[in-house]
Amino acid sequence: MTTNWFRAVINRLFWLLLGCLLVGLITGEFAWALVAGLAIYLAWTLRQMLRFHHWLRNSPNEPPPEARGIWGEIFDTLYHMQRRDSRRRLRLQMVIDRIQTSTAALRDAVVMIDGDGHLEWWNHAAERLLGLRAPDDSGQHVTNLIRDPRFVAYFDEGTFRDPLDIPSPIDPGSWLQYTVTRYGRGDRLMVVRDITRLHNLEQMRKDFVANVSHELRTPLTVIVGYLETMLDAEDQGNPRWRRPLQQMQQQARRMQTLLNDLLLLARLETSNNALDEQPVQIDSLLETIHRDARALSGERGHQITLDVVAPRALRGNESELRSAFSNLVFNAVKYTPDRGEIAIQWWEDERGGHLAVRDNGVGIAPEHIGRLTERFYRVDSSRSTHTGGTGLGLAIVKHVLLRHQGKLQVSSTPGKGSTFTCHFPAERLIEAGPGLPAGH
């Protein structure tokens, strides 16, 4: 097309110059004939440019004005390009309309947030669940409208690895789950789901477990007491009852341990249970757990080492931290073969405080690591039964760390051992000083 235009322009100029030469031959004024011809050509070109400008400015969607030659080609080409773009925009707008219509029909709230955190668009469910109002809230920062401190911290953190479950900003009796996904150049898509029914069911389950565990605790204590009395008086009874009574006592104590763990887990999961914080001296706490672990190992002969560098105390609940740390250490003792090595290490850096419990036991296969903190999940049920585990220890560790803004990291290689590491944020470390209590 470019070559044809170029040839058309050259041909038109050639015939114009030829006409000017003929007029110059007739009149004898070659220069004036050439000037007059070029002036006519320039005037025609300017007129076509004015028509082109008027068409683009006033009626670009209408057919172009009639023109011949190169300007006719320009008009027709631009008009066809506009028609193609118009059809493409129409198809794109139809797709956008369908997406918005389908999104508006969702029962879950969908909110589009730009890179600066301002609201760009939302569906009707967002108005019902979050109380957003169009167009007043358009362009507002999302944390100005959802002011729950947990959501503000979740949004500002920006990782969005896990969803956030908090009460609704317009109805405290309803619970919402926030899921944020990044897309484009820093934009975010937030999906909000009403999980009130699931939350109520979960709360009912927790209440049921806590109530049943509490109710079973008293009769089980009575049974254990009578079994101990009967075993103490075995000389006056039938010797054949000794072994059955011992087995009954063993299983009853195992049930007591299970109930105690269930009650502790239920207390940890209670969201309105405030954390009773105090400065905890990590060195003395781990030394106590270290002695208990050596006593638990007994004749199995584990080599248990302790390496603590704790110039600062950890702000938290000592009883909960003791339960979490002892669960990790005692699990290492239970599941490490005799004469195995277990290392307990605490260190601090710019990121916070860290506790690592390492062993050279049988290890854990990768497919089990993601589910270790689930209730009653067992990698090997027969081995757990043999060691007397309840299947709740790591679930307790998980909830204790959550209450202390900590994280549990598990790394393991089958046949070589496992490492369980607890990470605590730096803001929970307190500088040691004379005002802190001595080790417990």
Side-chain angles (χ1 to χ4, degrees), residues 77-137:
T77 302
L78 286 177
Y79 180 65
H80 290 309
M81 291 175 61
Q82 287 183 335
R83 292 290 301 272
R84 286 198 304 269
D85 291 342
S86 178
R87 288 193 294 268
R88 290 174 181 173
R89 286 196 301 268
L90 180 61
R91 288 195 298 267
L92 182 59
Q93 187 62 45
M94 291 176 60
V95 173
I96 294 174
D97 292 341
R98 290 186 62 184
I99 293 176
Q100 290 184 342
T101 302
S102 60
T103 305
L106 292 175
R107 299 180 61 183
D108 298 338
V110 179
V111 183
M112 296 176 62
I113 306 172
D114 64 17
D116 296 326
H118 300 121
L119 301 182
E120 288 188 328
W121 178 88
W122 58 86
N123 62 353
H124 297 307
E127 300 178 357
R128 175 175 53 85
L129 295 177
L130 301 175
L132 302 182
R133 296 172 301 174
D136 297 341
D137 293 335

Short mmCIF file of all heavy atoms in Angstrom, two decimals, residues 77-137:
data_model
loop_
_atom_site.label_atom_id
_atom_site.label_comp_id
_atom_site.label_asym_id
_atom_site.label_seq_id
_atom_site.Cartn_x
_atom_site.Cartn_y
_atom_site.Cartn_z
N THR A 77 -8.70 4.06 4.40
CA THR A 77 -7.89 3.22 5.31
C THR A 77 -8.21 3.53 6.77
O THR A 77 -8.42 2.62 7.59
CB THR A 77 -6.40 3.43 5.04
OG1 THR A 77 -6.11 3.10 3.67
CG2 THR A 77 -5.56 2.54 5.97
N LEU A 78 -8.24 4.82 7.11
CA LEU A 78 -8.55 5.19 8.49
C LEU A 78 -9.97 4.77 8.88
O LEU A 78 -10.21 4.34 10.01
CB LEU A 78 -8.38 6.70 8.68
CG LEU A 78 -6.95 7.20 8.73
CD1 LEU A 78 -6.92 8.71 8.85
CD2 LEU A 78 -6.21 6.57 9.91
N TYR A 79 -10.88 4.89 7.95
CA TYR A 79 -12.27 4.51 8.26
C TYR A 79 -12.37 3.01 8.54
O TYR A 79 -13.03 2.58 9.51
CB TYR A 79 -13.17 4.90 7.09
CG TYR A 79 -14.63 4.55 7.32
CD1 TYR A 79 -15.35 5.17 8.33
CD2 TYR A 79 -15.26 3.60 6.53
CE1 TYR A 79 -16.68 4.86 8.54
CE2 TYR A 79 -16.58 3.27 6.74
CZ TYR A 79 -17.30 3.90 7.75
OH TYR A 79 -18.62 3.58 7.95
N HIS A 80 -11.70 2.20 7.75
CA HIS A 80 -11.72 0.74 7.99
C HIS A 80 -11.03 0.39 9.31
O HIS A 80 -11.48 -0.51 10.04
CB HIS A 80 -11.05 0.01 6.82
CG HIS A 80 -11.85 0.05 5.56
ND1 HIS A 80 -13.19 -0.30 5.50
CD2 HIS A 80 -11.50 0.42 4.29
CE1 HIS A 80 -13.63 -0.17 4.25
NE2 HIS A 80 -12.64 0.27 3.50
N MET A 81 -9.94 1.08 9.62
CA MET A 81 -9.28 0.84 10.91
C MET A 81 -10.20 1.20 12.08
O MET A 81 -10.27 0.48 13.08
CB MET A 81 -7.98 1.65 11.00
CG MET A 81 -6.88 1.17 10.05
SD MET A 81 -5.42 2.24 10.09
CE MET A 81 -4.94 2.06 11.80
N GLN A 82 -10.93 2.31 11.95
CA GLN A 82 -11.86 2.68 13.00
C GLN A 82 -12.97 1.66 13.15
O GLN A 82 -13.41 1.34 14.26
CB GLN A 82 -12.45 4.07 12.71
CG GLN A 82 -11.48 5.21 12.93
CD GLN A 82 -12.13 6.55 12.70
OE1 GLN A 82 -13.11 6.66 11.96
NE2 GLN A 82 -11.57 7.58 13.29
N ARG A 83 -13.46 1.16 12.05
CA ARG A 83 -14.52 0.16 12.12
C ARG A 83 -14.02 -1.10 12.81
O ARG A 83 -14.73 -1.70 13.64
CB ARG A 83 -15.02 -0.19 10.70
CG ARG A 83 -15.76 0.96 10.02
CD ARG A 83 -17.11 1.19 10.67
NE ARG A 83 -17.93 0.02 10.61
CZ ARG A 83 -18.73 -0.28 9.58
NH1 ARG A 83 -18.80 0.53 8.52
NH2 ARG A 83 -19.49 -1.36 9.60
N ARG A 84 -12.78 -1.55 12.50
CA ARG A 84 -12.23 -2.73 13.16
C ARG A 84 -12.05 -2.49 14.65
O ARG A 84 -12.40 -3.34 15.48
CB ARG A 84 -10.89 -3.12 12.53
CG ARG A 84 -11.01 -3.76 11.16
CD ARG A 84 -9.74 -4.50 10.80
NE ARG A 84 -8.57 -3.63 10.85
CZ ARG A 84 -8.11 -2.93 9.82
NH1 ARG A 84 -8.74 -2.99 8.66
NH2 ARG A 84 -7.03 -2.18 9.96
N ASP A 85 -11.50 -1.33 15.02
CA ASP A 85 -11.32 -1.02 16.44
C ASP A 85 -12.66 -0.93 17.15
O ASP A 85 -12.78 -1.35 18.31
CB ASP A 85 -10.55 0.29 16.60
CG ASP A 85 -9.11 0.18 16.16
OD1 ASP A 85 -8.62 -0.97 16.07
OD2 ASP A 85 -8.48 1.22 15.90
N SER A 86 -13.64 -0.39 16.49
CA SER A 86 -14.97 -0.28 17.11
C SER A 86 -15.55 -1.66 17.38
O SER A 86 -16.14 -1.90 18.44
CB SER A 86 -15.89 0.54 16.21
OG SER A 86 -17.19 0.61 16.77
N ARG A 87 -15.40 -2.58 16.42
CA ARG A 87 -15.90 -3.94 16.64
C ARG A 87 -15.15 -4.63 17.76
O ARG A 87 -15.74 -5.35 18.58
CB ARG A 87 -15.79 -4.74 15.33
CG ARG A 87 -16.79 -4.32 14.27
CD ARG A 87 -16.84 -5.34 13.15
NE ARG A 87 -15.58 -5.41 12.41
CZ ARG A 87 -15.33 -4.69 11.32
NH1 ARG A 87 -16.24 -3.84 10.85
NH2 ARG A 87 -14.17 -4.81 10.69
N ARG A 88 -13.82 -4.41 17.83
CA ARG A 88 -13.04 -5.01 18.91
C ARG A 88 -13.44 -4.45 20.26
O ARG A 88 -13.58 -5.18 21.24
CB ARG A 88 -11.55 -4.76 18.67
CG ARG A 88 -10.99 -5.55 17.49
CD ARG A 88 -9.55 -5.16 17.22
NE ARG A 88 -9.01 -5.88 16.08
CZ ARG A 88 -7.81 -5.64 15.55
NH1 ARG A 88 -7.05 -4.68 16.08
NH2 ARG A 88 -7.39 -6.34 14.52
N ARG A 89 -13.64 -3.13 20.34
CA ARG A 89 -14.07 -2.53 21.61
C ARG A 89 -15.45 -3.04 22.01
O ARG A 89 -15.72 -3.26 23.20
CB ARG A 89 -14.09 -1.01 21.47
CG ARG A 89 -12.72 -0.37 21.46
CD ARG A 89 -12.82 1.13 21.73
NE ARG A 89 -13.65 1.79 20.72
CZ ARG A 89 -13.19 2.33 19.60
NH1 ARG A 89 -11.89 2.29 19.35
NH2 ARG A 89 -14.00 2.93 18.76
N LEU A 90 -16.31 -3.23 21.03
CA LEU A 90 -17.64 -3.73 21.33
C LEU A 90 -17.56 -5.15 21.89
O LEU A 90 -18.24 -5.46 22.89
CB LEU A 90 -18.51 -3.69 20.07
CG LEU A 90 -19.95 -4.20 20.24
CD1 LEU A 90 -20.69 -3.35 21.27
CD2 LEU A 90 -20.68 -4.19 18.90
N ARG A 91 -16.73 -6.01 21.26
CA ARG A 91 -16.59 -7.37 21.78
C ARG A 91 -15.97 -7.36 23.17
O ARG A 91 -16.39 -8.10 24.06
CB ARG A 91 -15.74 -8.20 20.82
CG ARG A 91 -16.44 -8.56 19.52
CD ARG A 91 -15.70 -9.67 18.79
NE ARG A 91 -14.35 -9.27 18.42
CZ ARG A 91 -14.04 -8.74 17.24
NH1 ARG A 91 -14.99 -8.52 16.33
NH2 ARG A 91 -12.79 -8.42 16.96
N LEU A 92 -14.94 -6.52 23.38
CA LEU A 92 -14.31 -6.43 24.69
C LEU A 92 -15.29 -5.92 25.74
O LEU A 92 -15.32 -6.43 26.87
CB LEU A 92 -13.08 -5.51 24.61
CG LEU A 92 -12.27 -5.33 25.91
CD1 LEU A 92 -11.75 -6.67 26.40
CD2 LEU A 92 -11.13 -4.36 25.69
N GLN A 93 -16.10 -4.92 25.39
CA GLN A 93 -17.07 -4.41 26.33
C GLN A 93 -18.12 -5.46 26.68
O GLN A 93 -18.58 -5.56 27.82
CB GLN A 93 -17.75 -3.16 25.75
CG GLN A 93 -18.67 -2.45 26.73
CD GLN A 93 -17.93 -1.95 27.94
OE1 GLN A 93 -16.85 -1.37 27.82
NE2 GLN A 93 -18.48 -2.18 29.12
N MET A 94 -18.49 -6.29 25.70
CA MET A 94 -19.45 -7.37 25.96
C MET A 94 -18.85 -8.38 26.94
O MET A 94 -19.54 -8.84 27.86
CB MET A 94 -19.83 -8.06 24.65
CG MET A 94 -20.67 -7.19 23.72
SD MET A 94 -21.00 -8.01 22.14
CE MET A 94 -21.89 -9.46 22.69
N VAL A 95 -17.54 -8.70 26.78
CA VAL A 95 -16.90 -9.61 27.72
C VAL A 95 -16.84 -9.01 29.11
O VAL A 95 -17.14 -9.67 30.12
CB VAL A 95 -15.47 -9.97 27.21
CG1 VAL A 95 -14.73 -10.78 28.27
CG2 VAL A 95 -15.55 -10.75 25.91
N ILE A 96 -16.48 -7.71 29.19
CA ILE A 96 -16.42 -7.04 30.50
C ILE A 96 -17.80 -7.01 31.15
O ILE A 96 -17.94 -7.25 32.35
CB ILE A 96 -15.85 -5.62 30.34
CG1 ILE A 96 -14.39 -5.69 29.89
CG2 ILE A 96 -15.97 -4.83 31.64
CD1 ILE A 96 -13.78 -4.34 29.58
N ASP A 97 -18.82 -6.72 30.35
CA ASP A 97 -20.18 -6.69 30.90
C ASP A 97 -20.60 -8.06 31.43
O ASP A 97 -21.25 -8.16 32.49
CB ASP A 97 -21.17 -6.20 29.84
CG ASP A 97 -20.95 -4.73 29.48
OD1 ASP A 97 -20.32 -4.03 30.29
OD2 ASP A 97 -21.41 -4.31 28.40
N ARG A 98 -20.25 -9.11 30.70
CA ARG A 98 -20.60 -10.46 31.16
C ARG A 98 -19.86 -10.81 32.44
O ARG A 98 -20.43 -11.41 33.35
CB ARG A 98 -20.27 -11.48 30.07
CG ARG A 98 -21.17 -11.40 28.86
CD ARG A 98 -20.87 -12.53 27.89
NE ARG A 98 -21.11 -13.82 28.50
CZ ARG A 98 -20.85 -14.98 27.91
NH1 ARG A 98 -20.32 -14.99 26.69
NH2 ARG A 98 -21.11 -16.11 28.51
N ILE A 99 -18.57 -10.42 32.51
CA ILE A 99 -17.80 -10.70 33.74
C ILE A 99 -18.40 -9.95 34.92
O ILE A 99 -18.57 -10.50 36.01
CB ILE A 99 -16.32 -10.33 33.53
CG1 ILE A 99 -15.68 -11.27 32.50
CG2 ILE A 99 -15.56 -10.39 34.85
CD1 ILE A 99 -14.24 -10.91 32.17
N GLN A 100 -18.72 -8.67 34.72
CA GLN A 100 -19.29 -7.90 35.80
C GLN A 100 -20.67 -8.41 36.20
O GLN A 100 -21.01 -8.45 37.39
CB GLN A 100 -19.38 -6.42 35.40
CG GLN A 100 -18.03 -5.74 35.31
CD GLN A 100 -18.16 -4.26 35.00
OE1 GLN A 100 -19.21 -3.79 34.54
NE2 GLN A 100 -17.10 -3.50 35.27
N THR A 101 -21.45 -8.84 35.22
CA THR A 101 -22.78 -9.39 35.54
C THR A 101 -22.67 -10.68 36.32
O THR A 101 -23.38 -10.89 37.31
CB THR A 101 -23.57 -9.61 34.24
OG1 THR A 101 -23.68 -8.38 33.52
CG2 THR A 101 -24.97 -10.14 34.56
N SER A 102 -21.77 -11.57 35.89
CA SER A 102 -21.60 -12.84 36.61
C SER A 102 -21.00 -12.61 37.99
O SER A 102 -21.38 -13.28 38.96
CB SER A 102 -20.72 -13.79 35.80
OG SER A 102 -19.44 -13.22 35.58
N THR A 103 -20.06 -11.66 38.10
CA THR A 103 -19.46 -11.37 39.40
C THR A 103 -20.49 -10.74 40.34
O THR A 103 -20.50 -11.03 41.54
CB THR A 103 -18.26 -10.43 39.25
OG1 THR A 103 -17.34 -11.01 38.32
CG2 THR A 103 -17.55 -10.22 40.57
N ALA A 104 -21.35 -9.89 39.79
CA ALA A 104 -22.37 -9.27 40.62
C ALA A 104 -23.37 -10.29 41.15
O ALA A 104 -23.99 -10.07 42.20
CB ALA A 104 -23.11 -8.20 39.81
N ALA A 105 -23.51 -11.43 40.46
CA ALA A 105 -24.45 -12.45 40.91
C ALA A 105 -23.88 -13.37 41.98
O ALA A 105 -24.60 -14.17 42.56
CB ALA A 105 -24.91 -13.29 39.71
N LEU A 106 -22.56 -13.25 42.26
CA LEU A 106 -21.94 -14.10 43.27
C LEU A 106 -22.46 -13.76 44.66
O LEU A 106 -22.75 -12.60 44.97
CB LEU A 106 -20.42 -13.95 43.24
CG LEU A 106 -19.68 -14.49 42.02
CD1 LEU A 106 -18.21 -14.13 42.10
CD2 LEU A 106 -19.84 -16.00 41.91
N ARG A 107 -22.53 -14.77 45.51
CA ARG A 107 -22.92 -14.54 46.90
C ARG A 107 -21.73 -14.06 47.73
O ARG A 107 -21.91 -13.51 48.81
CB ARG A 107 -23.50 -15.82 47.50
CG ARG A 107 -24.75 -16.31 46.78
CD ARG A 107 -25.29 -17.57 47.41
NE ARG A 107 -25.68 -17.36 48.80
CZ ARG A 107 -26.12 -18.31 49.60
NH1 ARG A 107 -26.23 -19.56 49.14
NH2 ARG A 107 -26.45 -18.03 50.85
N ASP A 108 -20.51 -14.31 47.23
CA ASP A 108 -19.31 -13.84 47.90
C ASP A 108 -18.97 -12.44 47.40
O ASP A 108 -19.17 -12.11 46.23
CB ASP A 108 -18.12 -14.76 47.63
CG ASP A 108 -18.36 -16.17 48.15
OD1 ASP A 108 -19.20 -16.31 49.05
OD2 ASP A 108 -17.72 -17.11 47.64
N ALA A 109 -18.45 -11.62 48.31
CA ALA A 109 -18.07 -10.26 47.95
C ALA A 109 -16.76 -10.28 47.17
O ALA A 109 -15.83 -10.99 47.53
CB ALA A 109 -17.94 -9.40 49.20
N VAL A 110 -16.70 -9.50 46.11
CA VAL A 110 -15.50 -9.36 45.29
C VAL A 110 -15.16 -7.88 45.23
O VAL A 110 -15.99 -7.06 44.82
CB VAL A 110 -15.70 -9.92 43.87
CG1 VAL A 110 -14.44 -9.73 43.03
CG2 VAL A 110 -16.08 -11.40 43.93
N VAL A 111 -13.96 -7.53 45.65
CA VAL A 111 -13.53 -6.13 45.70
C VAL A 111 -12.20 -6.00 44.97
O VAL A 111 -11.25 -6.75 45.26
CB VAL A 111 -13.38 -5.64 47.16
CG1 VAL A 111 -13.00 -4.17 47.19
CG2 VAL A 111 -14.66 -5.88 47.95
N MET A 112 -12.13 -5.05 44.03
CA MET A 112 -10.89 -4.77 43.32
C MET A 112 -10.21 -3.58 43.99
O MET A 112 -10.82 -2.53 44.19
CB MET A 112 -11.16 -4.47 41.85
CG MET A 112 -11.74 -5.65 41.08
SD MET A 112 -12.15 -5.23 39.36
CE MET A 112 -10.53 -4.80 38.74
N ILE A 113 -8.92 -3.76 44.34
CA ILE A 113 -8.15 -2.76 45.08
C ILE A 113 -6.89 -2.44 44.28
O ILE A 113 -6.20 -3.36 43.82
CB ILE A 113 -7.78 -3.27 46.49
CG1 ILE A 113 -9.04 -3.73 47.24
CG2 ILE A 113 -7.04 -2.22 47.28
CD1 ILE A 113 -8.74 -4.42 48.55
N ASP A 114 -6.61 -1.14 44.12
CA ASP A 114 -5.43 -0.78 43.33
C ASP A 114 -4.15 -0.94 44.15
O ASP A 114 -4.18 -1.34 45.32
CB ASP A 114 -5.56 0.64 42.78
CG ASP A 114 -5.60 1.71 43.88
OD1 ASP A 114 -5.22 1.39 45.02
OD2 ASP A 114 -6.01 2.84 43.60
N GLY A 115 -3.01 -0.60 43.54
CA GLY A 115 -1.73 -0.81 44.19
C GLY A 115 -1.53 0.03 45.44
O GLY A 115 -0.71 -0.33 46.30
N ASP A 116 -2.28 1.12 45.58
CA ASP A 116 -2.17 1.98 46.76
C ASP A 116 -3.18 1.62 47.84
O ASP A 116 -3.24 2.31 48.87
CB ASP A 116 -2.34 3.44 46.36
CG ASP A 116 -1.24 3.93 45.43
OD1 ASP A 116 -0.10 3.46 45.61
OD2 ASP A 116 -1.52 4.74 44.54
N GLY A 117 -3.99 0.59 47.60
CA GLY A 117 -4.96 0.17 48.61
C GLY A 117 -6.31 0.85 48.49
O GLY A 117 -7.13 0.73 49.42
N HIS A 118 -6.60 1.55 47.40
CA HIS A 118 -7.87 2.23 47.23
C HIS A 118 -8.86 1.35 46.48
O HIS A 118 -8.48 0.58 45.58
CB HIS A 118 -7.68 3.55 46.47
CG HIS A 118 -6.75 4.50 47.18
ND1 HIS A 118 -5.60 4.98 46.62
CD2 HIS A 118 -6.80 5.04 48.42
CE1 HIS A 118 -4.98 5.77 47.46
NE2 HIS A 118 -5.69 5.82 48.57
N LEU A 119 -10.13 1.48 46.83
CA LEU A 119 -11.18 0.67 46.22
C LEU A 119 -11.45 1.15 44.79
O LEU A 119 -11.62 2.35 44.55
CB LEU A 119 -12.47 0.76 47.03
CG LEU A 119 -12.39 0.31 48.50
CD1 LEU A 119 -13.76 0.41 49.14
CD2 LEU A 119 -11.86 -1.11 48.61
N GLU A 120 -11.49 0.20 43.85
CA GLU A 120 -11.78 0.53 42.46
C GLU A 120 -13.17 0.06 42.03
O GLU A 120 -13.88 0.78 41.35
CB GLU A 120 -10.72 -0.10 41.53
CG GLU A 120 -9.36 0.55 41.61
CD GLU A 120 -8.42 0.00 40.55
OE1 GLU A 120 -8.55 -1.19 40.19
OE2 GLU A 120 -7.56 0.77 40.07
N TRP A 121 -13.52 -1.15 42.44
CA TRP A 121 -14.81 -1.72 42.03
C TRP A 121 -15.19 -2.82 42.99
O TRP A 121 -14.32 -3.47 43.59
CB TRP A 121 -14.72 -2.27 40.60
CG TRP A 121 -15.98 -2.89 40.12
CD1 TRP A 121 -17.03 -2.29 39.49
CD2 TRP A 121 -16.35 -4.29 40.22
NE1 TRP A 121 -18.01 -3.19 39.22
CE2 TRP A 121 -17.63 -4.43 39.66
CE3 TRP A 121 -15.73 -5.40 40.76
CZ2 TRP A 121 -18.29 -5.66 39.59
CZ3 TRP A 121 -16.38 -6.62 40.71
CH2 TRP A 121 -17.63 -6.75 40.13
N TRP A 122 -16.51 -3.04 43.18
CA TRP A 122 -17.00 -4.14 44.00
C TRP A 122 -18.37 -4.55 43.52
O TRP A 122 -19.06 -3.80 42.81
CB TRP A 122 -17.03 -3.75 45.48
CG TRP A 122 -17.88 -2.54 45.78
CD1 TRP A 122 -19.22 -2.49 46.02
CD2 TRP A 122 -17.43 -1.18 45.84
NE1 TRP A 122 -19.64 -1.21 46.22
CE2 TRP A 122 -18.56 -0.38 46.14
CE3 TRP A 122 -16.19 -0.57 45.69
CZ2 TRP A 122 -18.48 1.00 46.27
CZ3 TRP A 122 -16.12 0.81 45.83
CH2 TRP A 122 -17.24 1.57 46.12
N ASN A 123 -18.77 -5.76 43.86
CA ASN A 123 -20.07 -6.27 43.44
C ASN A 123 -21.12 -5.99 44.52
O ASN A 123 -20.85 -5.40 45.57
CB ASN A 123 -20.00 -7.76 43.11
CG ASN A 123 -19.61 -8.60 44.32
OD1 ASN A 123 -19.26 -8.06 45.36
ND2 ASN A 123 -19.67 -9.91 44.17
N HIS A 124 -22.36 -6.43 44.25
CA HIS A 124 -23.45 -6.14 45.18
C HIS A 124 -23.26 -6.85 46.51
O HIS A 124 -23.67 -6.34 47.56
CB HIS A 124 -24.79 -6.56 44.54
CG HIS A 124 -25.11 -5.79 43.29
ND1 HIS A 124 -25.12 -4.41 43.26
CD2 HIS A 124 -25.42 -6.21 42.04
CE1 HIS A 124 -25.43 -4.00 42.03
NE2 HIS A 124 -25.62 -5.07 41.27
N ALA A 125 -22.66 -8.04 46.49
CA ALA A 125 -22.46 -8.77 47.75
C ALA A 125 -21.53 -8.01 48.69
O ALA A 125 -21.67 -8.11 49.91
CB ALA A 125 -21.89 -10.17 47.46
N ALA A 126 -20.59 -7.23 48.16
CA ALA A 126 -19.71 -6.44 49.01
C ALA A 126 -20.49 -5.36 49.76
O ALA A 126 -20.17 -5.03 50.90
CB ALA A 126 -18.60 -5.81 48.17
N GLU A 127 -21.53 -4.81 49.13
CA GLU A 127 -22.36 -3.83 49.82
C GLU A 127 -23.15 -4.49 50.95
O GLU A 127 -23.35 -3.88 52.01
CB GLU A 127 -23.30 -3.18 48.82
CG GLU A 127 -22.58 -2.45 47.69
CD GLU A 127 -23.55 -1.87 46.68
OE1 GLU A 127 -24.77 -2.09 46.83
OE2 GLU A 127 -23.08 -1.20 45.74
N ARG A 128 -23.55 -5.75 50.74
CA ARG A 128 -24.32 -6.45 51.76
C ARG A 128 -23.45 -6.95 52.90
O ARG A 128 -23.83 -6.83 54.08
CB ARG A 128 -25.07 -7.62 51.12
CG ARG A 128 -25.82 -8.51 52.10
CD ARG A 128 -26.63 -9.55 51.34
NE ARG A 128 -25.83 -10.28 50.39
CZ ARG A 128 -25.10 -11.36 50.70
NH1 ARG A 128 -25.08 -11.81 51.95
NH2 ARG A 128 -24.41 -11.99 49.77
N LEU A 129 -22.25 -7.47 52.59
CA LEU A 129 -21.40 -8.06 53.62
C LEU A 129 -20.51 -7.03 54.31
O LEU A 129 -20.24 -7.15 55.51
CB LEU A 129 -20.52 -9.16 53.00
CG LEU A 129 -21.24 -10.39 52.46
CD1 LEU A 129 -20.24 -11.34 51.82
CD2 LEU A 129 -22.01 -11.10 53.55
N LEU A 130 -20.03 -6.04 53.55
CA LEU A 130 -19.06 -5.10 54.10
C LEU A 130 -19.64 -3.70 54.32
O LEU A 130 -18.97 -2.85 54.91
CB LEU A 130 -17.84 -4.99 53.17
CG LEU A 130 -17.08 -6.29 52.91
CD1 LEU A 130 -15.97 -6.07 51.89
CD2 LEU A 130 -16.51 -6.85 54.20
N GLY A 131 -20.84 -3.47 53.80
CA GLY A 131 -21.45 -2.16 53.98
C GLY A 131 -20.89 -1.09 53.05
O GLY A 131 -21.03 0.10 53.33
N LEU A 132 -20.25 -1.48 51.94
CA LEU A 132 -19.73 -0.49 51.00
C LEU A 132 -20.88 0.21 50.28
O LEU A 132 -21.91 -0.40 49.99
CB LEU A 132 -18.80 -1.17 49.98
CG LEU A 132 -17.59 -1.91 50.56
CD1 LEU A 132 -16.75 -2.50 49.43
CD2 LEU A 132 -16.75 -1.00 51.44
N ARG A 133 -20.68 1.48 49.96
CA ARG A 133 -21.70 2.27 49.28
C ARG A 133 -21.12 2.90 48.03
O ARG A 133 -20.06 3.52 48.06
CB ARG A 133 -22.22 3.37 50.21
CG ARG A 133 -22.94 2.87 51.46
CD ARG A 133 -23.24 4.01 52.39
NE ARG A 133 -22.01 4.71 52.79
CZ ARG A 133 -21.98 5.82 53.52
NH1 ARG A 133 -23.12 6.38 53.90
NH2 ARG A 133 -20.83 6.37 53.85
N ALA A 134 -21.83 2.70 46.93
CA ALA A 134 -21.41 3.29 45.66
C ALA A 134 -22.24 4.55 45.41
O ALA A 134 -23.45 4.57 45.67
CB ALA A 134 -21.60 2.29 44.53
N PRO A 135 -21.63 5.62 44.89
CA PRO A 135 -20.19 5.77 44.57
C PRO A 135 -19.39 6.44 45.68
O PRO A 135 -18.25 6.83 45.45
CB PRO A 135 -20.25 6.67 43.34
CG PRO A 135 -21.41 7.58 43.62
CD PRO A 135 -22.42 6.76 44.38
N ASP A 136 -20.00 6.61 46.87
CA ASP A 136 -19.33 7.38 47.93
C ASP A 136 -17.99 6.77 48.35
O ASP A 136 -17.03 7.49 48.63
CB ASP A 136 -20.24 7.49 49.16
CG ASP A 136 -21.52 8.25 48.85
OD1 ASP A 136 -21.52 8.97 47.83
OD2 ASP A 136 -22.50 8.11 49.60
N ASP A 137 -17.92 5.43 48.41
CA ASP A 137 -16.72 4.77 48.91
C ASP A 137 -15.69 4.49 47.82
O ASP A 137 -14.61 3.98 48.13
CB ASP A 137 -17.09 3.45 49.60
CG ASP A 137 -17.90 3.68 50.86
OD1 ASP A 137 -17.76 4.77 51.45
OD2 ASP A 137 -18.68 2.78 51.26
#
